[in-house]
Amino acid sequence: MSIRAIVVDDERFSREELIFLIEHYPSVEVVGEADSGEVAIMKTIQLQPDVLFLDVEMPKMDGMEVAKSVQELKKVPEIVFATAYSDFAVEAFRHNAVDYLLKPFDEEQLSHTIERLEKKLMDQGYQRKTWTPTKLAIEEDGDIRYLDPNDILYVYREGRVTKVVGKSRSYEVNWPLKEVEARLTPFSFFRIHKSYLVNLDYIERLIPWFNGAYQLELRGHKEKLSVSRNYVKNLRNQLEL
């Protein structure tokens, strides 16, 4: 069982300390972090975590507001509050929090928290491997746009921006290409270059180019894509199964 977690705290050192401690537990995978309530909600929508480790006192949108907001999502994460103040404990458990960690973090207390998380998720019949995301969530002008990965032709990195090329238009995201690749793992995407991922379902022709490299023709797309010679063999194996 792998519990996907996001750590939320406006103080960087507190986030780093908690992430460091959590990473000692093989059952928990920290898939993201956020420095504000607004970013926490955005990342919860995008990454679909199983639990939020959530600071209470944050500017603009505090942890209690975040906990209330995520209750409206289709996949509601568990909540573990992590704060320097004990005053909020009663209110925290009104949000059905799994636990309430006090700073500075105590390793024994965290161990009990992880045990509670494991038990609660297992008691709910939790099976991480059976859940697969069906959409790629992209932030655009403050909104969240959900893309069907089957409608994406290819993805590439240009400068500090990653571009997602769909059937009708392109989108820009700030994630590294490696992160987009991880999100698209359940689908038919393959790396053809250090800066390019392509949807195998749209490949029509593989054309020899020079120095062992190839070019790809994609269905419904005029521009040819370059295939690095380091990826040609594995790509041909994928296409010729």
Side-chain angles (χ1 to χ4, degrees):
M1 182 174 72
S2 178
I3 300 171
R4 293 163 54 84
I6 290 178
V7 174
V8 184
D9 197 310
D10 61 314
E11 297 179 358
R12 180 168 64 89
F13 292 115
S14 290
R15 288 199 311 276
E16 290 176 350
E17 180 190 5
L18 186 51
I19 290 171
F20 174 77
L21 293 173
I22 290 173
E23 286 177 344
H24 285 80
Y25 297 89
S27 62
V28 184
E29 176 189 6
V30 178
V31 296
E33 56 183 285
D35 60 4
S36 70
E38 294 86 352
V39 173
I41 292 173
M42 194 74 66
K43 292 210 171 185
T44 300
I45 293 169
Q46 293 172 343
L47 300 176
Q48 301 282 309
D50 303 303
V51 59
L52 297 182
F53 285 85
L54 188 57
D55 186 22
V56 176
E57 288 206 321
M58 294 185 290
K60 293 185 180 178
M61 188 177 202
D62 65 28
M64 297 299 172
E65 292 175 295
V66 174
K68 183 177 179 180
S69 295
V70 298
Q71 299 302 312
E72 306 299 322
L73 300 180
K74 184 176 181 181
K75 179 177 175 14
V76 180
E78 302 295 339
I79 300 292
V80 173
F81 285 103
T83 178
Y85 306 96
S86 59
D87 315 36
F88 303 103
V90 174
E91 185 179 355
F93 288 108
R94 288 179 185 150
H95 292 284
N96 298 316
V98 172
D99 211 342
Y100 191 91
L101 295 173
L102 285 175
K103 301 175 184 178
F105 300 117
D106 179 83
E107 293 185 34
E108 185 176 354
Q109 186 188 11
L110 178 60
S111 178
H112 292 319
T113 298
I114 301 299
E115 288 177 10
R116 288 192 187 96
L117 269 174
E118 291 172 343
K119 184 176 187 306
K120 185 168 185 179
L121 291 172
M122 290 177 68
D123 286 348
Q124 292 172 355
Y126 175 83
Q127 291 291 332
R128 171 70 187 95
K129 292 182 179 179
T130 64
W131 179 81
T132 301
T134 59
K135 302 286 185 182
L136 182 68
I138 291 179
E139 181 184 359
E140 187 177 54
D141 298 326
D143 296 330
I144 304 295
R145 184 178 293 273
Y146 296 95
L147 302 186
D148 184 341
N150 298 309
D151 291 334
I152 297 172
L153 303 183
Y154 63 97
V155 184
Y156 67 101
R157 187 73 175 177
E158 186 176 69
R160 296 185 177 182
V161 174
T162 299
K163 296 189 177 182
V164 179
V165 180
K167 289 180 178 179
S168 58
R169 56 163 294 191
S170 299
Y171 305 87
E172 292 187 357
V173 296
N174 293 322
W175 315 320
L177 187 63
K178 185 176 180 181
E179 184 172 341
V180 179
E181 183 177 23
R183 297 184 189 201
L184 293 173
T185 296
F187 303 94
S188 302
F189 285 83
F190 190 84
R191 189 180 283 265
I192 61 169
H193 185 279
K194 66 178 182 179
S195 301
Y196 277 77
L197 298 172
V198 67
N199 190 334
L200 297 176
D201 294 337
Y202 287 92
I203 294 177
E204 283 199 333
R205 281 208 303 166
L206 186 60
I207 308 165
W209 199 19
F210 65 91
N211 291 336
Y214 280 71
Q215 287 191 318
L216 279 182
E217 280 189 1
L218 300 181
R219 174 167 42 90
H221 191 71
K222 293 181 180 180
E223 182 183 349
K224 294 183 177 65
L225 304 183
S226 298
V227 183
S228 168
R229 62 183 180 179
N230 296 329
Y231 296 91
V232 169
K233 182 178 179 181
N234 289 338
L235 176 62
R236 293 188 65 171
N237 289 338
Q238 287 290 322
L239 295 174
E240 295 168 9
L241 287 175

